Amino acid sequence: MTIEIVRKVLAWCAVMNIGLLAWWFIFFVLAHDWTYRLHSKWFNISVETFDTIHYAGMAFFKMGTLLFILIPYFALHIVG
């Protein structure tokens, strides 16, 4: 496996992860009340807790994408 193939894989992973994160954010903003009602049927959760969980999840996902996909991608561009 060459460095170029790894770079292409990381680039596509980054595109898919950023797209998923954008979809999650847009869906959360536009369908907030609907998703809260759906989840509050299953779990006894307040709106503040629901928002905190989603905000923390998006932050964790974004940091994971940055640390495990984008930084190695740019490092491979520097060395290769």
Side-chain angles (χ1 to χ4, degrees):
M1 184 176 290
T2 65
I3 289 178
E4 186 61 33
I5 292 172
V6 175
R7 269 191 258 172
K8 287 181 181 180
V9 169
L10 288 173
W12 277 109
C13 286
V15 167
M16 287 187 269
N17 278 315
I18 292 169
L20 181 61
L21 184 63
W23 178 82
W24 185 0
F25 175 76
I26 291 168
F27 191 80
F28 182 70
V29 169
L30 297 178
H32 179 271
D33 295 335
W34 179 79
T35 53
Y36 173 71
R37 282 194 312 271
L38 180 68
H39 286 92
S40 65
K41 289 179 185 177
W42 299 329
F43 307 104
N44 186 16
I45 190 169
S46 68
V47 176
E48 293 81 17
T49 305
F50 180 75
D51 291 345
T52 302
I53 290 169
H54 276 275
Y55 183 75
M58 284 186 243
F60 182 76
F61 192 84
K62 183 169 55 172
M63 290 305 297
T65 301
L66 178 69
L67 291 173
F68 297 118
I69 296 174
L70 290 174
I71 290 175
Y73 173 77
F74 290 124
L76 286 176
H77 267 289
I78 292 170
V79 300

